Amino acid sequence: MSRRRRMRREHPDVETRELRAAVLKERIYLTFTGLAVIVAMHAHGHIEATTALSTLAVTVFAVLLAVFVADVVAHLVAHEALPTRQQLREMVASSFGALGALALPFVFLVLAVVGVWTTDAALRASTIALIVALVAIGYAAIRRVDLTFWQRVIALGAEAALGLAVVGLQLLAHG
């Protein structure tokens, strides 16, 4: 019996943790992608709110589909079989469950579409929200892990710094 199966049998919460880890991983991917797209749109100057909203929606949908297809293909390669219904449900949950990570940018852009905010303000607020989301996702990932206070600070600080690095790189590329 494989080590993984023995661990699952001995520790039934391993599967739950693995699914939670997969969801968090996909949220990080999607958040970084959303951050890069939003900063790029903001750096290009004036963009209509409807264009920004549709660009973000298409990008997010494409990334979610890519993640889902990658999970299915990885499963096929690793197990030489199609995923079971349960495994497929878990793949859908981990892929599309990440959508919540971009809820605020969608809300902000909808506010810009209806004229409550400017597109510039919506994109700026989205950038801030996504950097905060990266730290929150990181916290969700490490909150139950046995780390010292300083290890937590370093892990969360590194994630925030990487988010800011994405912003900086996009500004350099489009500045």
Side-chain angles (χ1 to χ4, degrees):
M1 183 181 303
S2 74
R3 180 177 182 271
R4 184 180 231 174
R5 281 194 183 151
R6 276 195 315 275
M7 282 180 60
R8 282 185 180 168
R9 206 172 264 176
E10 295 167 9
H11 304 285
D13 68 326
V14 169
E15 279 187 34
T16 304
R17 284 186 308 189
E18 286 177 352
L19 181 58
R20 188 172 148 260
V23 169
L24 290 170
K25 181 178 70 169
E26 305 313 339
R27 281 180 179 261
I28 290 169
Y29 290 157
L30 195 61
T31 303
F32 269 108
T33 301
L35 183 59
V37 169
I38 286 168
V39 171
M41 287 189 292
H42 197 219
H44 280 297
H46 182 71
I47 184 171
E48 294 295 321
T50 53
T51 303
L53 183 61
S54 64
T55 299
L56 184 60
V58 168
T59 302
V60 165
F61 186 65
V63 168
L64 291 175
L65 285 178
V67 167
F68 176 71
V69 170
D71 282 349
V72 172
V73 169
H75 181 89
L76 285 169
V77 170
H79 302 283
E80 296 180 355
L82 290 170
T84 64
R85 283 187 184 168
Q86 179 61 32
Q87 290 166 330
L88 201 56
R89 273 193 294 274
E90 289 173 0
M91 289 175 193
V92 169
S94 71
S95 298
F96 291 90
L99 192 55
L102 290 175
L104 283 177
F106 279 111
V107 168
F108 297 157
L109 287 169
V110 167
L111 289 173
V113 167
V114 298
V116 175
W117 278 10
T118 65
T119 306
D120 187 58
L123 292 172
R124 186 174 296 113
S126 295
T127 300
I128 293 165
L130 290 175
I131 291 170
V132 170
L134 283 172
V135 174
I137 293 164
Y139 176 75
I142 66 170
R143 73 175 184 241
R144 295 180 186 156
V145 177
D146 188 26
L147 295 175
T148 68
F149 172 79
W150 289 111
Q151 288 171 324
R152 289 176 193 272
V153 168
I154 290 168
L156 296 175
E159 194 159 14
L162 289 172
L164 291 172
V166 167
V167 173
L169 289 172
Q170 286 289 350
L171 292 175
L172 281 175
H174 295 97

